[in-house]
Amino acid sequence: MDFSLSEEQTIFRDSVARFVAEEYPFDRRQALVAEEPGYDGAHWRRFAELGWLAATLPEDYGGLGGTPVEGMLLAEQFGRGLVMSPYLATVVLGANAILHGGSEDQKRTLLPQVAEGRLKLAFAFAEPQSRYDLNDVATTARGEKSGYRIDGHKGVVFHAASADRIVVSARTAGDSRDPDGISLFLVDAKAEGLEARHYPTQDGGRASELRFDGVRVGAEDRLGEPGTEGSALPVIERVIDHAIASVCAEATGAMWAVYEQTLTYLKTREQFGRTLGSFQALQHRMVDVYMKCELAQSMVYEVTLHLDVPDAVVRGRAAASAKYEVGRNARDVGQEGVQLHGGIGMTFDLPIGHYLKRITMINSSFGDPRHQLRRYQHLSS
Amino acid sequence: MDFSLSEEQTIFRDSVARFVAEEYPFDRRQALVAEEPGYDGAHWRRFAELGWLAATLPEDYGGLGGTPVEGMLLAEQFGRGLVMSPYLATVVLGANAILHGGSEDQKRTLLPQVAEGRLKLAFAFAEPQSRYDLNDVATTARGEKSGYRIDGHKGVVFHAASADRIVVSARTAGDSRDPDGISLFLVDAKAEGLEARHYPTQDGGRASELRFDGVRVGAEDRLGEPGTEGSALPVIERVIDHAIASVCAEATGAMWAVYEQTLTYLKTREQFGRTLGSFQALQHRMVDVYMKCELAQSMVYEVTLHLDVPDAVVRGRAAASAKYEVGRNARDVGQEGVQLHGGIGMTFDLPIGHYLKRITMINSSFGDPRHQLRRYQHLSS
Amino acid sequence: MEIAYRPESEALREEIRAFCRDEVPEEFKRAVRHEGEIEGEDSRRWLRMLYEKGGWSAPGWSRELGGPGWTYEQQYVFERELALNDAPRVPLFGAGMIGPAIIEFGSRALQEQFLPAILKGEILWCQGYSEPNSGSDLASLQTSAVRDGDHYVLNGTKMWTSDGHHADWMFGLFRTDNSGKKQHGITVLLVDMRTPGIELRPILTFDGGHETNQTFFDDVRVPVGNRLGEEHLGWTVAKYILGLERFGTAEVSRSQSSLARLKRIARDQPSSGGRLVDDEDFADAITEVELELRALELTEQRFLFGPGGPDAMGAEASMLKIRGTEVQQRITELTAEALGYYSQPFVPEQLAEGYNEEPVGPTPAGYAARSYFNMRKTSIYSGSNEIQKNIIAKAVLGL
Amino acid sequence: MEIAYRPESEALREEIRAFCRDEVPEEFKRAVRHEGEIEGEDSRRWLRMLYEKGGWSAPGWSRELGGPGWTYEQQYVFERELALNDAPRVPLFGAGMIGPAIIEFGSRALQEQFLPAILKGEILWCQGYSEPNSGSDLASLQTSAVRDGDHYVLNGTKMWTSDGHHADWMFGLFRTDNSGKKQHGITVLLVDMRTPGIELRPILTFDGGHETNQTFFDDVRVPVGNRLGEEHLGWTVAKYILGLERFGTAEVSRSQSSLARLKRIARDQPSSGGRLVDDEDFADAITEVELELRALELTEQRFLFGPGGPDAMGAEASMLKIRGTEVQQRITELTAEALGYYSQPFVPEQLAEGYNEEPVGPTPAGYAARSYFNMRKTSIYSGSNEIQKNIIAKAVLGL
């Protein structure tokens, strides 16, 4: 049992931290998210050059073969700096969908492009009626002579406006909540019949409503080897567990930032002739904040270190429990950060409220704490 | 809208408070509950003389015709003083079963005896498998030529050892969870075939397991006018709502006592050269205790002032919501009382832990907070 | 003991319901249903409407002053029925706060100048209390008013000037003497917001809204006649104003409306192939807050209509503020949660009338998360909940 | 990063499991399964058994000292597997606390007198720290030790002498000097509990149990040679002892066992015509505490086996104590709740072997509520959770 980072991992983490501190100060961040596309293209190229996009991809497909720990370190620092980018959409969601669901050929063709920063992706899996149920897919892909015709509505698709290609879940068989019969397709973002409504999200991110009206794709655009049609649900679940690990790490980074900024505020702000931090009631609440950060940190390890286990139930339990625990604690910490800052914590110009917004959006992504509690129970019974 | 007590009510409350302070100090209480029967027979006679047993009974049946408010005031003071007696079993449970379920003749015969302190009752409604479901009655009463034969097991029957007669729910028809088919019977405590196992409860109270093995009762021992056989569930629900009102008031009395005793302790106990009450973290927690007492107090009014409304759903919602809110807040207050006292709060010789025990036993009587939440939902849908 | 309203309150209740149904403009109700507020010209229009109903713009005022002369219970019913029927709030700063203070402390001239205008809703007010370095510790304020002949000259800056960008007048606390105890040397002045030297900088809240401002005073000249009460003794006036708020501190009826909307949303939202409201754990969360709210409602009623009536209420009001804001926050948080992914889009413009792009998600997507974020302010403003606990600890518990 | 145990720990784990299965007496396991503890002669017997396994009675001791020479991870696994397999705890006061202190601070004579006896489990110890007027503020203690030739003469009283009624020896803190700072002038003495002038008064806890005592000292003479460390500098020894507790502060594995029992009870208990465990809200409550416990377990592991190992852990240990006791309390509370009405009977004797009256309710009825009540002590003893928060605020947060 050993919970220390290796030297390489420490160096990697520190280099990400340096980027965030130097290239992504809060005012720059606010300027970027206020304009389209919500991030700096030059940053994205830097991510590629520094190997961050490749970090968690296998060497066979142009990656650097890192472990999930590297992904965790990256996301934690992104969380600390409230970094908004298509990283989650492209590398965590899109690339993992190809990696775990694609054919050998698809992987060899597409993943190196992701690693090099030449291909951006989005993952369209949720629908207006599906809430957090991954098996709830009403979008259909009907087989035609040379491919498929896709019809349906995908909701709140992260960073679809930046994506070159979109991985779309659609039903090739079964009823709308059937675990079987779901397939994944690669759809060109400019495909005919695909109508997009892009919008910003509460936290300065980007998402889209995508309506597919007879969008045509070829047979080769279905992810996976021949004969795997209709069996994509386990792939989707695996991809979403990767996303859960990533946003849990991100949320925990945000929590530590809230903790540090609030602690600094308490140590410097004076009221009634004393620093706020000298008031015992606030001290004890700040101790609760600290403890919640540590608990969340532990659960980030839980999901990260179980991400590659072969048993999907073990992985799913780790992911569900982490998302639940991190979500609850992050919410509390985000709220306390605002509260302990007092009025100034409510302002748009201070980062603290923006952490709460990001934390809240993370909680409502990939299954909220309630959903994860239920999922954990189902996987345990 | 007026939440003031009348002058008579104020006098009544003060006289109960005086009795508790003078006749039932904590060490006397501890001595009484340590021995059988767990209370002082002389006190019981005083209750009768002072008109407390008669207070809430109608004048037609030997009572003083008071409102539920009088019952509330009595129970609150009993809660403050941790008074253990057969009051709940006899007057709240037993007498209300007769009042709301009995025939005119039964009421005229029995209730005056209760009012005068000559008859003690118990109410045997719960069974090992029933948990808090009042409709879950497996005990059977089979009709025989001149009466009924009762067989079954009633669990945790309060103060059955003191009772002269026991009101027993038993099924004259239907399956064990059927709302219909339940009747109430008056059984002599010394009836043949009735085997009792008496024991103390955690809080110094008394209860019993009662096993009915072919206990014979006459047709006239079934509560109610002729032709009402099998329709006792609404009566049982009404009786239990009276019990809920009573124990909610009692719990709230206990909460205020915990509040006052803890506050006194914080104001006098010194650590680190200061009174505990000067530590802000403890001040804020004590404020939470105060607020919970006030919220519970309000919900005691809720159930009390709705106890006699004709609509059983309105009454039931008030009872369920009060039992839920009082239960949760009482638990918190009881636990905080012990915690804020520190080590001394753990001792048998201080009242504070005994309040927590009484509160806990109240919570597991007549449906715990979870059960009441569910019940409230069902009654609201 | 009587839990029901008196007949005259019941009668008023019917009257207000009818008013809300028939007379309150749809666009006002629409704003409220989106967990929003009306402001600026709409507030003036709303006050005028209320005034014309018989002085409803000043619900606590006697008939002699032009108010409706309601009992406390009727005032309670009035506030409550407006909220329950999606009508806007009655702006508090005028008839609820500075009006009574002018009646109590104002010169004849100030009374003649302001009281009729307040009653008719011709003036929108803002409050000049907090400063960048005096938040919870209000008495440490430093914006100065230096006497210069018939004027005070103001310099400094006020924070959290809510609705300052719509206000005609400010009532503010200014430092006229720094030599004594900090509560001494504070003076209340009524300041015309168009006076030269006043500058407002909007303070956006992190949800993206603009409700409050920072106000800068640069040699702002205020006539001495605009002083309310004695020079240096403004703390007395401030405390008087603070003690006025009796009804609605707990926001019970606003929360009841929000809760009803939450329930509707939970019925509309899909979940597990059914409806969200049928998920037992979400239903439990709703019921829990519903029961918390009921306990709070009764507690407010007990405090208001117990022995001694509303005037007997002291620091108990702090409890209503604490619990009331906790309940509000919980309801808005659950509302955002109910929407799942559709709490995420930031498209507030789709709530506006005449919006004709394709909407994103169901209607509440336009306000749910923003309202949750915005409501975080409630446990901070008007004396943070921590300060309220200090007050209770001292005044009720004697600690 | 590696979340799995090392091979030598896995091997030990198997060995301990087998030991628990095959060698730990059934009556010991029975007590643990009823959320109880063994005591007195049973503790001696248990220590002897552990000693004979190869020094397991002193799991932290090196081979040279006669201990098992385990790595930290193995010590962790040992504590854990005992708990998970219903074996009793290893009494802490001897080999875990005073033993190492004697090694660090004791004279050669004390080491020879006590270390082998501690290792073999021949001595049961109690602690003499708290006093009636020094609870959280331990350093304010006043029980005096006055030098008289070759002896100290003790007068005063100690509170919360846990297991004092079974103990052979006490290690206690006594006041030898009152002139300086309160941390100065404290001296550690080892006191034979049979010395004349010592009197014990049982302190019953409100659940009805007897675990602790008040100890009165009336001219109790203790040889100077029984002093541990320097005169007046006993605070250093006390802090050393406090820092020794590395494993099990959070009681994670004990809670895991209790949680497993709770789940079984919830499966056995009837509810709504089915089983309690199928009530979604009760199941949720169980799952919530299960996940809290998992987060706590991992946090303990991160603290113990992160950079620097267990020796790097400082005030973080306070967090483990706070959260650990909260989880324990929650589990026992839910266990009582699970029983419904059958949490009420007070019939502890029905747990005893050979009880042959008709039992009341299911077996856990004998202990569930008592265990809930008893567990309230955990957030109070060993430095209340409030004191632990003060420690974290100062040492970790720098407030």
Side-chain angles (χ1 to χ4, degrees), chain C residues 201-238:
Chain C
R201 192 178 65 83
I203 301 177
L204 298 190
T205 44
F206 71 81
D207 58 280
H210 175 207
E211 299 170 355
T212 193
N213 306 272
Q214 185 165 8
T215 310
F216 296 90
F217 298 88
D218 181 13
D219 283 337
V220 173
R221 297 182 70 83
V222 174
V224 168
N226 284 8
R227 190 183 70 213
L228 189 60
E230 301 288 303
E231 190 176 70
H232 307 326
L233 303 181
W235 193 246
T236 317
V237 182

Side-chain angles (χ1 to χ4, degrees), chain A residues 26-332:
Chain A
F26 181 65
D27 53 350
R28 175 99 180 96
R29 187 258 184 201
Q30 292 298 75
L32 283 172
V33 302
E35 287 176 16
E36 296 314 316
Y39 64 96
D40 185 342
H43 285 163
W44 188 255
R45 288 188 292 278
R46 281 285 296 284
F47 289 7
E49 287 158 23
L50 292 166
W52 298 353
L53 305 181
T56 55
L57 293 173
E59 294 178 24
D60 286 353
Y61 309 120
L64 297 173
T67 68
V69 173
E70 278 71 23
M72 171 187 91
L73 296 172
L74 195 57
E76 268 179 11
Q77 297 306 320
F78 284 175
R80 277 182 179 259
L82 285 171
V83 175
M84 308 306 284
S85 83
Y87 177 80
L88 178 71
T90 297
V91 179
V92 182
L93 291 165
N96 271 312
I98 294 166
L99 180 63
H100 301 302
S103 67
E104 191 58 28
D105 194 44
Q106 288 163 332
K107 291 191 259 191
R108 293 207 180 271
T109 313
L110 297 167
L111 293 179
Q113 297 180 43
V114 170
E116 291 162 20
R118 289 185 293 117
L119 176 67
K120 290 202 204 68
L121 301 168
F123 188 33
F125 60 96
E127 301 183 358
Q129 83 294 342
S130 68
R131 200 169 174 87
Y132 301 123
D133 290 347
L134 300 175
N135 59 303
D136 190 327
V137 175
T139 298
T140 53
R142 280 194 211 91
E144 296 185 333
K145 42 191 173 308
S146 63
Y148 299 87
R149 171 205 161 107
I150 300 177
D151 292 275
H153 178 178
K154 293 289 174 180
V156 197
V157 182
F158 297 135
H159 270 288
S162 294
D164 305 298
R165 305 192 77 175
I166 297 165
V167 181
V168 181
S169 63
R171 192 165 280 292
T172 42
D175 284 335
S176 88
R177 293 180 54 82
D178 215 330
D180 293 321
I182 303 168
S183 303
L184 292 173
F185 298 90
L186 275 161
V187 178
D188 195 280
K190 302 194 179 63
E192 209 173 318
L194 168 54
E195 198 188 316
R197 164 86 157 90
H198 306 303
Y199 48 81
T201 50
Q202 300 283 342
D203 52 0
R206 296 295 184 275
S208 309
E209 300 299 293
L210 301 182
R211 283 167 204 271
F212 296 80
D213 183 8
V215 173
R216 254 109 191 161
V217 294
E220 71 287 2
D221 292 321
R222 190 182 61 72
L223 278 188
E225 304 290 351
T228 58
E229 187 183 273
S231 61
L233 185 56
V235 174
I236 297 173
E237 288 172 342
R238 189 164 182 186
V239 171
I240 296 304
D241 282 348
H242 276 266
I244 285 172
S246 185
V247 295
C248 282
E250 192 186 339
T252 304
M255 290 168 77
W256 284 117
V258 168
Y259 164 75
E260 285 164 15
Q261 291 173 22
T262 306
L263 193 53
T264 301
Y265 183 75
L266 291 183
K267 285 178 180 174
T268 48
R269 171 77 172 173
E270 294 194 8
Q271 293 278 278
F272 304 103
R274 301 159 52 181
T275 60
L276 286 180
S278 71
F279 288 92
Q280 197 199 22
L282 304 189
Q283 287 179 355
H284 281 201
R285 285 169 59 176
M286 201 60 207
V287 168
D288 288 338
V289 166
Y290 160 74
M291 294 196 296
K292 288 172 182 191
C293 291
E294 290 282 13
L295 293 169
Q297 184 73 64
S298 301
M299 296 310 285
V300 169
Y301 282 48
E302 174 83 333
V303 59
T304 304
L305 298 177
H306 288 105
L307 212 43
D308 283 343
V309 298
D311 185 337
V313 170
V314 171
R315 185 197 72 225
R317 279 164 48 105
S321 59
K323 188 75 168 47
Y324 170 82
E325 276 283 317
V326 171
R328 274 169 35 120
N329 287 313
R331 184 211 52 170
D332 291 351

Side-chain angles (χ1 to χ4, degrees), chain D residues 352-372:
Chain D
E353 242 181 309
Y355 179 81
N356 49 23
E357 273 189 77
E358 178 191 25
V360 176
T363 304
Y367 65 80
R370 289 193 71 187
S371 167
Y372 161 47

Side-chain angles (χ1 to χ4, degrees), chain D residues 217-294:
Chain D
F217 297 87
D218 181 14
D219 283 337
V220 173
R221 298 181 69 83
V222 175
V224 169
N226 285 7
R227 191 183 72 214
L228 189 62
E230 301 288 305
E231 191 177 69
H232 307 327
L233 302 182
W235 194 246
T236 317
V237 182
K239 282 203 300 184
Y240 175 84
I241 292 176
L242 209 71
L244 286 170
E245 215 188 337
R246 290 197 190 85
F247 302 105
T249 328
E251 298 273 18
V252 167
S253 35
R254 297 276 155 195
S255 286
Q256 286 171 331
S257 275
S258 300
L259 179 65
R261 285 191 283 276
L262 166 59
K263 287 183 175 180
R264 269 198 299 277
I265 292 168
R267 277 195 294 269
D268 291 345
Q269 279 298 302
S271 179
S272 310
R275 307 180 308 165
L276 180 61
V277 75
D278 297 324
D279 283 3
E280 205 173 279
D281 59 348
F282 201 84
D284 284 357
I286 293 178
T287 308
E288 282 166 17
V289 75
E290 177 174 342
L291 296 180
E292 291 290 327
L293 182 54
R294 176 61 182 150

